[in-house]
Amino acid sequence: MSRHAERFPTIKAGGRMMDLLDRIKGLNLTLMGDLQFVNDWEYFTQEPEKHLEQLTTTGPYAGTLEAFTTGVKLRTRYNHLLNDSANARTTLWASDSARVIDTARYFSAGFFGIDWQKPANLVIIPETGDLGGDTLTPGDTCTKYHEDLVHGHNYGANMLARFQLTYLGAIGDRLEQQNPDIRFVNSEVYSMQEMCGFETTVRGGSQWCDVFTQQDWLDFEYARDVIHYYRTGPGNPYGPVMGWLWLNATTNILSAGPSAGPLFFSFVHDGDIIPMLAALDIFHDAVDLPVTHVAESRRWRTSQITPMGGRVIFERLRCPHRSKPDKERQGIYVRINVNDGIVAIPSCKAGPGESCLLSDFMKLIERRGKELGDFRQMCGLGKDAAEGITFLHQ
């Protein structure tokens, strides 16, 4: 399961950035200090209506380049599986978003070659609210998730706003000392921090990054952790049950083994990967993330879990038992690779390389599903709604 590659800001975030720049320009000020560079700086797209929300295409961190090179990297790693299916087309799935579809296409060019449509088939799954559980984007189909104004979709943004109060004001004070004729509100300071990352994905670097101290960036990192933890992650009551849909479907594939097919690729948004990881519960924090201060020892770190282009790979391994080396007594294990690093399941890591015995993994996912409850019931959907994912098959 992969997130789309590096992109321009969303329309909403980009709009806030441009509103800030328009306000500065409208005041006809000459900025000083850390913001002096802004006097001659231009926004990183002159065609926002064309670029916002789409993959970046320039610079060393371009989204198109990231997707393609990821395809090459995984082709190198899993080439032996591709050879096993030389006579069959491989189906890939992408949710119906331009940046997600483009990521899948550039990835496929890297993995299968420039004529990727011959050995592969890309299936687009709509991001509509009428699919029930048969979707890659359950956040679009879970009715209660949107209707619950306290603990639903808006929960993450509300918790983010509370944490922002702990650090953005001090940055605003510092910038005001350098520029007494303008006061930046918290949302504007936050937009400045966001521009550092987004400009870097377009141009390869950004002077906005130098405006802030190391502590400012540690606070920003935590702010991103907070919003995703409470929007669709472990801190949201709907997140894990939404993520269990894809996790359960993938468990069924792992259980079926080679007969199901050797390779499965799903391309989605971070808001779809995070619920799945919350359902799997491999980045478990004993207590929910506080919003009064930074939890230094937390396991949930969005930058390491779902960066742009981030991916989670479930590997099915056949390994000999340590006490039973003969091939006829090999064990089947599941190993989880998150962004090129192996992450152990805390309660199931006795296998080779901290992998989990497949039979134990299946029991764990089944038990987790019972703990989380029925997707349709949790989301306020009728019994006629799809119960789970049916399209993940080769």
Side-chain angles (χ1 to χ4, degrees):
M1 177 178 263
S2 173
R3 185 187 180 189
H4 59 73
E6 286 79 358
R7 60 162 171 79
F8 283 90
T10 61
I11 292 174
K12 183 179 293 185
R16 289 194 297 265
M17 296 171 188
M18 290 184 286
D19 287 345
L20 166 62
L21 297 172
D22 287 343
R23 184 165 89 88
I24 293 174
K25 184 177 181 180
L27 292 173
N28 197 28
L29 295 174
T30 299
L31 295 175
M32 304 298 291
D34 293 331
L35 296 178
Q36 186 173 357
F37 76 93
V38 180
N39 297 318
D40 302 311
W41 184 80
E42 292 186 357
Y43 193 54
F44 41 84
T45 173
Q46 301 306 306
E47 299 180 279
E49 67 285 347
K50 175 183 177 181
H51 289 145
L52 291 182
E53 305 209 359
Q54 308 308 312
L55 294 186
T56 57
T57 58
T58 59
Y61 311 114
T64 52
L65 179 62
E66 162 71 19
F68 180 83
T69 55
T70 296
V72 174
K73 179 188 296 184
L74 296 191
R75 171 63 180 262
T76 303
R77 183 184 301 165
Y78 300 115
N79 184 60
H80 63 291
L81 297 179
L82 186 66
N83 291 340
D84 290 343
S85 58
N87 297 323
R89 295 182 77 194
T90 299
T91 299
L92 305 87
W93 296 268
S95 65
D96 193 8
S97 166
R99 60 183 178 270
V100 176
I101 296 170
D102 286 344
T103 297
R105 287 170 173 164
Y106 278 98
F107 170 89
S108 296
F111 191 92
F112 297 101
I114 199 68
D115 296 324
W116 64 268
Q117 290 174 310
K118 294 179 180 179
N121 175 45
L122 179 60
V123 175
I124 311 302
I125 305 300
E127 295 185 354
T128 55
D130 60 345
L131 299 182
D134 201 13
T135 178
L136 285 176
T137 53
D140 293 320
T141 67
C142 184
T143 303
K144 282 188 177 180
Y145 176 63
H146 292 278
E147 292 179 345
D148 187 341
L149 301 181
V150 178
H151 292 110
H153 178 271
N154 295 335
Y155 193 22
N158 294 337
M159 296 297 273
L160 168 66
R162 291 174 59 183
F163 175 71
Q164 286 176 325
L165 294 174
T166 69
Y167 84 99
L168 290 176
I171 301 175
D173 292 341
R174 185 172 74 232
L175 297 177
E176 187 176 17
Q177 290 177 357
Q178 300 171 4
N179 299 276
D181 294 328
I182 185 171
R183 172 70 190 186
F184 298 106
V185 299
N186 284 355
S187 60
E188 292 175 324
V189 175
Y190 195 72
S191 288
M192 294 179 192
Q193 290 194 293
E194 289 184 311
M195 281 193 281
C196 161
F198 283 113
E199 185 180 17
T200 297
T201 68
V202 177
R203 293 173 172 162
S206 175
Q207 290 173 281
W208 286 105
C209 303
D210 298 327
V211 173
F212 304 97
T213 66
Q214 181 179 12
Q215 185 58 53
D216 294 338
W217 286 119
L218 292 174
D219 289 334
F220 179 78
E221 177 193 35
Y222 189 70
R224 302 304 301 171
D225 295 343
V226 166
I227 188 173
H228 289 293
Y229 183 89
Y230 287 104
R231 176 180 285 170
T232 56
N236 187 290
Y238 301 95
V241 73
M242 293 192 298
W244 189 80
L245 297 173
W246 187 91
L247 180 60
N248 182 57
T250 297
T251 301
N252 292 335
I253 293 170
L254 293 168
S255 174
S259 63
L263 298 165
F264 289 78
F265 302 101
S266 298
F267 295 88
V268 292
H269 305 270
D270 56 349
D272 307 306
I273 299 176
I274 290 172
M276 185 274 291
L277 291 172
L280 188 56
D281 199 28
I282 57 174
F283 297 103
H284 181 77
D285 288 291
V287 297
D288 286 336
L289 299 187
V291 293
T292 55
H293 62 279
V294 174
E296 301 286 355
S297 61
R298 68 194 181 282
R299 294 205 66 202
W300 187 267
R301 294 179 184 268
T302 304
S303 59
Q304 297 178 19
I305 297 172
T306 53
M308 293 187 190
R311 55 196 173 275
V312 182
I313 301 173
F314 289 75
E315 299 174 326
R316 188 181 191 274
L317 310 176
R318 181 182 294 274
C319 305
H321 288 290
R322 293 173 181 172
S323 59
K324 302 175 182 178
D326 55 291
K327 293 183 179 180
E328 294 183 359
R329 297 182 179 180
Q330 290 177 330
I332 307 299
Y333 299 87
V334 175
R335 185 171 68 175
I336 300 172
N337 183 316
V338 180
N339 302 318
D340 298 329
I342 302 303
V343 178
I345 300 173
S347 62
C348 188
K349 55 181 180 179
E354 293 191 316
S355 60
C356 178
L357 191 66
L358 175 60
S359 58
D360 291 339
F361 181 80
M362 293 169 57
K363 293 175 184 176
L364 184 152
I365 301 306
E366 181 182 10
R367 183 168 63 251
R368 185 69 169 141
K370 292 178 180 178
E371 293 172 358
L372 296 173
D374 181 74
F375 172 79
R376 294 173 298 182
Q377 183 177 353
M378 281 286 294
C379 292
L381 304 178
K383 291 186 178 181
D384 58 334
E387 184 177 9
I389 294 175
T390 63
F391 53 80
L392 282 180
H393 54 81
Q394 295 293 355

